[in-house]
């Protein structure tokens, strides 16, 4: 077993550090890592096994001596630094790599998938094994699979300070294989120039199949594949970055039960998806996953799409929503957002493309980063352009249709009529009978609506004119100043504010999942009522209330649940079971304690 960097025979072109396709993924490496790894794992699912694909991300800080071929790899970094034509940036990379490999400990990120086939073709050194390990620029995936360029394999390298990744597999054909790949630069070894990419393998260039001399951390006992990123970037905050990327890009696959992910013991599945979106996404203004997830929980609109399949469209209207639609293929990965809807109708939506022919068309229009659909990538550009325009028009037309219906409806806001003219009093529509009326009277005052626009959202606030203040009283003998005034409270209590409340029924009759999104920290009681057919809310006896994550029953007293402690931006989820097992609508309110 050794690190082999093949010779650059025939005076071929020297290879630099930045020619490996890794730069595609440098800008946001953990986002691309999650997208590429999870997509590949979903593509490799064993069809006859029920249940979701499981992918685990685990960080280890191991002794650097356990890294296969560590000493030879460090020597190769040393040889790369001797290139006199290196740029300053590349020289810093190799110097840093030497330093990392000289330390006693090294950071390793292990990514493992389960319920998958593993990499097939190990002994033949072909099929999936060869395409991932030694063959560049080739995908040749089956219809309906995720990638079409074969460069997504470079995403893990963008997360490595050493540009070095190891692979271990145990496939459903009973084969085991292990190999390392390091993407450096051409260098001089024993007087001859090498290629830039090297492989840790057997001397006959075949993959390692005997694991007796490999550290046990690199072995597998279940079908699937492990990817090991050596010299992990950002070991302090990698976990949150991966979790956000998983939630943002695969919320559909997780919601549909196709995928489960574990990030250093944090499980992400369809049961806690809503909670984790609230925890990791809700306060991040750059991500819209919470809006899309709300839409995904509505009833779908089925839109037939020519003869290729159909579009499954979910839409949810809410004030200040972004007016964007997440475009998703059947794999369950979000590709991009469709935006620029010319309407004042605020909403978010999710479109899932269904049908093999439609998904194959879309797959062939995706760039290497899988973040768009581009007609000029397809071999039949004209046809692809026509289909993509028709797809987007189908979504835009449906939104326009829904927005027109919405705009025809009128809404009476309680209290707003106090600020509007009384049209029955034609002579004096604002009711001002005397211009010299007392300024402390209760006549309605004017209202101004001030609107400010953010990058993605619209915020509104209502301002009313300030009340005229009375002049300050001057001290008089009968009204002397207080020599010992009561000092104001230095920290006035901030009232509990709730952004929104969401409730929905569960599979168990009479039990409802209630999620409360607080804006700030505080303590309060929850009150739950049943909405009758007459649209009025009635008290209904509660059997029990359990807080999610603790499985502890909460106190119920005088129709109030709690008290509950709320933390800013972290949703609180409870399961409410009525004494009468019935399906109904709930009215949920929070009262500060």
């Amino acid at each position: 077993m050794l690190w082999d960097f093949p010779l650059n025979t025939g005076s071929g072109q020297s290879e630099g550090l930045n020619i490996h396709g890794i730069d595609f993924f440098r800008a946001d490496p953990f986002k691309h890592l999650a997208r590429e790894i999870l997509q590949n794992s979903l593509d490799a699912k064993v069809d006859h096994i029920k249940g979701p694909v499981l992918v685990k991300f685990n960080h280890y800080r191991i002794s650097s001596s356990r890294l296969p071929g560590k000493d030879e790899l460090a020597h190769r970094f040393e040889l790369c630094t001797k290139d006199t034509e290196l740029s300053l940036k590349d020289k810093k990379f190799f110097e840093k790599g030497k330093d990392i490999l000289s330390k006693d400990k090294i950071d390793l990120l292990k990514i493992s998938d389960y319920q998958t086939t593993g990499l097939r073709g190990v002994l033949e050194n072909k099929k999936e094994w060869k395409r991932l390990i030694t063959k560049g620029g080739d995908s040749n995936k089956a219809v309906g699979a995720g990638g079409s360029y074969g460069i997504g394999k470079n995403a893990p390298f963008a997360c490595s300070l050493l540009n070095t990744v190891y692979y271990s597999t145990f496939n459903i054909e009973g084969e085991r294989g292990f190999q390392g790949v390091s993407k450096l630069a051409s260098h001089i070894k024993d007087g001859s120039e090498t290629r830039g990419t090297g492989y840790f393998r057997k001397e006959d260039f075949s993959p390692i199949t005997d694991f007796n001399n490999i550290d046990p951390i690199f072995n597998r006992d279940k079908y699937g594949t492990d990817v090991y990123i050596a010299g992990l970037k950002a070991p302090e905050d990698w976990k949150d970055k991966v979790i956000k990327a998983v939630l943002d890009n695969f919320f559909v696959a997780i919601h549909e039960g196709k995928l489960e992910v574990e990030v250093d013991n944090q499980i992400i599945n369809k049961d806690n998806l809503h909670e984790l979106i609230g925890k990791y996404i809700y306060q991040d203004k750059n991500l819209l996953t919470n809006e899309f997830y709300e839409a995904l929980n509505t009833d779908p609109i089925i839109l037939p799409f020519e003869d290729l399949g159909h579009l499954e469209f979910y839409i949810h209207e809410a004030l200040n929503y972004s007016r964007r639609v997440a475009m998703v293929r059947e794999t369950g990965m979000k590709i991009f957002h469709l935006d620029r809807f010319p309407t004042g109708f605020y909403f978010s939506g999710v479109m899932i493309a269904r049908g093999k022919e439609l998904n194959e068309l879309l797959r062939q229009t995706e760039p290497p980063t899988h973040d768009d659909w581009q007609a000029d990538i397809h071999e039949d550009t004209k046809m692809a352009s026509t289909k993509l325009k028709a797809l987007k028009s189908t979504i835009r037309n449906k939104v326009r249709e829904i927005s027109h219906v919405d705009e025809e409806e009128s809404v009476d806001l309680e209290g707003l009529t106090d600020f509007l003219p009384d049209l029955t009093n034609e002579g004096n529509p604002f009711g001002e009978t005397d211009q010299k009326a007392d300024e402390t009277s209760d006549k309605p005052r004017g209202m101004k609506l001030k609107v400010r626009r953010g990058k993605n959202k619209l915020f509104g606030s209502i301002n009313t004119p300030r009340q005229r203040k009375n002049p300050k009283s001057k001290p008089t003998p009968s009204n002397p100043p207080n020599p010992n005034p009561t000092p104001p409270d230095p920290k006035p209590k901030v009232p509990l504010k709730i952004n929104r409340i969401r409730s929905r029924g569960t599979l168990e009759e009479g039990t409802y999942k209630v999620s409360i999104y607080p804006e700030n920290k505080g303590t309060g009681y929850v009150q739950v009522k049943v909405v009758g057919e007459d649209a009025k809310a009635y008290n209904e006896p509660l059997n029990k209330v359990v807080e999610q994550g603790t499985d502890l029953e909460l106190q119920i007293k005088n129709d109030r649940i709690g008290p509950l402690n709320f933390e800013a931006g972290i949703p609180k989820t409870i399961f409410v079971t009525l004494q009468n097992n019935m399906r109904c609508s709930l009215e949920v309110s929070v009262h500060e304690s």
Side-chain angles (χ1 to χ4, degrees):
M1 297 182 296
L2 50 79
W3 275 105
D4 169 43
F5 284 76
L7 295 179
N8 188 8
T9 57
S11 299
Q13 183 178 4
S14 297
E15 295 177 336
L17 183 62
N18 299 317
I19 69 168
H20 305 292
I22 301 174
D23 284 347
F24 272 107
F25 310 105
R26 294 275 190 208
D28 199 346
F30 288 98
K31 167 188 170 182
H32 293 298
L33 175 70
R35 285 169 64 90
E36 297 297 334
I37 289 286
L38 297 181
Q39 176 182 266
N40 288 339
S41 296
L42 286 168
D43 290 342
K45 185 182 188 308
V46 179
D47 292 332
H48 65 271
I49 297 180
K50 294 183 179 180
V53 167
L54 172 62
V55 180
K56 295 183 178 182
F57 293 75
N58 288 292
H59 171 232
Y60 300 94
R61 181 161 287 170
I62 65 171
S63 170
S64 59
S65 61
R66 298 174 65 186
L67 196 68
K70 175 250 183 179
D71 292 338
E72 176 64 19
L73 185 62
H75 179 56
R76 297 291 179 156
F77 269 79
E78 173 67 29
L79 293 177
C80 286
T81 63
K82 297 183 181 300
D83 186 346
T84 58
E85 298 183 1
L86 276 180
S87 68
L88 180 60
K89 178 182 176 182
D90 291 355
K91 187 173 182 63
K92 286 183 177 179
F93 170 82
F94 290 117
E95 291 289 354
K96 187 171 185 178
K98 284 170 50 182
D99 182 62
I100 292 171
L101 290 167
S102 68
K103 299 290 179 61
D104 292 334
K105 299 289 184 179
I106 190 168
D107 289 294
L108 190 74
L109 181 62
K110 178 182 179 181
I111 310 168
S112 308
D113 63 22
Y114 301 88
Q115 304 274 57
T116 59
T117 62
L119 294 173
R120 289 174 290 190
V122 175
L123 299 181
E124 301 168 340
N125 198 17
K126 61 181 183 180
K127 295 181 180 178
E128 291 97 334
W129 178 264
K130 185 174 183 179
R131 285 198 293 270
L132 179 64
I133 309 297
T134 61
K135 195 169 185 178
D138 175 62
S139 174
N140 195 30
K141 286 188 176 182
V143 173
S148 58
Y149 280 83
I151 71 167
K153 67 186 76 173
N154 292 310
F157 292 89
C159 299
S160 168
L161 294 171
L162 301 172
N163 276 16
T164 300
V165 177
Y166 296 85
Y167 303 89
S168 180
T169 195
F170 177 27
N171 66 35
I172 58 176
E173 297 168 352
E175 300 173 324
R176 296 178 185 271
F178 177 81
Q179 196 159 319
V181 181
S182 188
K183 300 193 175 188
L184 306 182
S186 293
H187 51 275
I188 304 299
K189 169 72 172 174
D190 298 331
S192 300
E193 186 180 68
T194 71
R195 303 291 298 271
T197 300
Y199 305 92
F200 185 79
R201 56 190 177 186
K202 296 197 301 191
E203 294 185 12
D204 63 358
F205 313 129
S206 63
I208 297 163
T209 56
D210 183 357
F211 282 74
N212 290 328
N213 295 320
I214 299 293
D215 192 275
I217 195 175
F218 298 101
N219 203 350
R220 278 194 70 108
D221 57 0
K222 294 182 179 179
Y223 295 143
T225 300
D226 294 333
V227 177
Y228 303 83
I229 299 174
L232 176 67
K233 279 185 180 180
E236 292 78 19
D237 59 355
W238 73 273
K239 180 176 178 179
D240 284 357
K241 291 179 179 180
V242 170
I243 290 175
K244 281 189 176 184
V246 171
L247 295 172
D248 185 44
N249 293 282
F250 290 91
F251 66 94
V252 172
I254 297 169
H255 175 77
E256 293 182 345
K258 295 178 180 178
L259 175 67
E260 289 187 2
V261 181
E262 183 177 323
V263 185
D264 257 7
N265 299 319
Q266 172 61 70
I267 299 291
I268 306 173
N269 58 31
K270 63 180 180 181
D271 295 326
N272 66 1
L273 178 60
H274 180 239
E275 176 188 355
L276 294 179
I277 287 175
K279 179 178 179 180
Y280 288 93
I281 303 291
Y282 190 69
Q283 297 298 324
D284 192 332
K285 295 180 180 179
N286 296 317
L287 300 176
L288 303 172
T289 318
N290 56 307
E291 296 184 14
F292 298 140
Y293 183 69
E294 290 285 348
L296 192 60
N297 282 277
T298 62
D299 293 329
I301 301 171
I302 305 301
L303 304 172
F305 186 70
E306 301 184 3
D307 57 347
L308 300 177
H310 68 271
L311 311 181
E312 200 170 280
F313 184 40
Y314 301 81
I315 185 169
H316 180 64
E317 178 187 3
L319 183 64
N320 297 335
Y321 266 20
S322 61
R323 292 189 292 188
R324 297 189 181 186
V325 175
M327 307 295 275
V328 182
R329 281 204 288 113
E330 202 149 27
T331 57
M333 183 175 79
K334 182 190 70 179
I335 306 300
F336 68 98
H337 304 156
L338 184 63
D339 55 10
R340 300 180 183 178
F341 289 87
T343 174
F345 172 68
Y346 288 91
F347 71 96
S348 279
V350 177
M351 188 287 300
I352 305 175
R354 302 293 189 187
K356 286 186 177 180
E357 293 185 25
L358 175 56
N359 276 273
E360 179 61 14
L361 168 67
L362 297 176
R363 182 177 78 92
Q364 294 181 21
T365 65
E366 286 177 19
T369 48
H370 307 292
D371 57 2
D372 198 5
W373 292 327
Q374 301 171 0
D376 56 356
I377 294 175
H378 198 280
E379 60 182 8
D380 189 343
T381 300
K382 185 177 180 179
M383 181 276 295
S385 177
T386 301
K387 299 297 184 185
L388 290 180
K389 287 179 180 178
L391 188 151
K392 293 176 182 178
S393 293
T394 300
I395 297 298
R396 294 188 187 281
N397 290 339
K398 176 53 66 172
V399 171
R400 189 178 295 112
E401 176 187 325
I402 295 172
S403 68
H404 286 169
V405 172
D406 179 77
E407 289 167 2
E408 290 174 359
E409 298 177 356
S410 62
V411 179
D412 182 19
L413 299 179
E414 183 179 357
L416 186 60
T417 53
D418 291 342
F419 298 98
L420 301 179
D422 181 3
L423 300 181
T424 61
N425 187 352
E426 296 179 0
N428 193 1
F430 283 95
E432 297 178 357
T433 58
D434 185 356
Q435 293 181 352
K436 297 181 180 181
D438 184 0
E439 293 187 6
T440 62
S441 65
D442 294 329
K443 73 177 182 181
R445 296 182 179 273
M447 179 185 73
K448 295 180 181 179
L449 181 64
K450 180 176 71 176
V451 176
R452 58 186 177 91
R453 291 187 179 272
K455 182 177 181 181
N456 296 321
K457 298 184 178 181
L458 181 79
F459 302 86
S461 61
I462 295 179
N463 295 337
T464 56
R466 297 180 180 177
Q467 298 288 337
R468 178 174 293 182
K469 296 181 179 179
N470 294 326
K472 294 182 179 178
S473 301
K474 295 181 179 180
T476 64
S478 60
N479 184 24
N482 186 354
N484 298 306
T486 302
D489 186 356
K491 293 183 179 180
K493 183 179 179 181
V494 178
L496 176 64
K497 295 182 180 179
I498 302 298
N499 275 329
R500 60 192 174 103
I501 300 173
R502 184 171 183 270
S503 65
R504 57 174 174 165
T506 66
L507 295 177
E508 183 179 350
E509 194 75 15
T511 298
Y512 297 82
K513 184 177 182 180
V514 177
S515 297
I516 302 165
Y517 295 80
E519 183 175 319
N520 60 348
K521 183 177 181 180
T523 304
Y525 292 88
V526 177
Q527 188 171 31
V528 176
K529 295 185 178 182
V530 170
V531 179
E533 295 182 358
D534 57 359
K536 294 182 179 180
Y538 299 91
N539 290 329
E540 180 69 23
L542 305 181
N543 184 25
K544 66 176 180 178
V545 180
V546 177
E547 182 175 354
Q548 181 171 293
T550 65
D551 295 329
L552 297 176
E553 289 195 28
L554 300 176
Q555 183 178 357
I556 305 170
K557 187 175 181 180
N558 297 330
D559 297 324
R560 288 191 172 190
I561 303 164
L564 284 80
N565 295 321
F566 296 93
E567 296 293 334
I570 300 178
K572 177 79 67 175
T573 299
I574 59 177
F575 290 91
V576 179
T577 303
L578 307 177
Q579 285 190 9
N580 297 320
N581 293 339
M582 59 182 180
R583 300 193 67 83
C584 59
S585 297
L586 299 183
E587 179 185 275
V588 183
S589 57
V590 178
H591 306 274
E592 190 171 23
S593 61

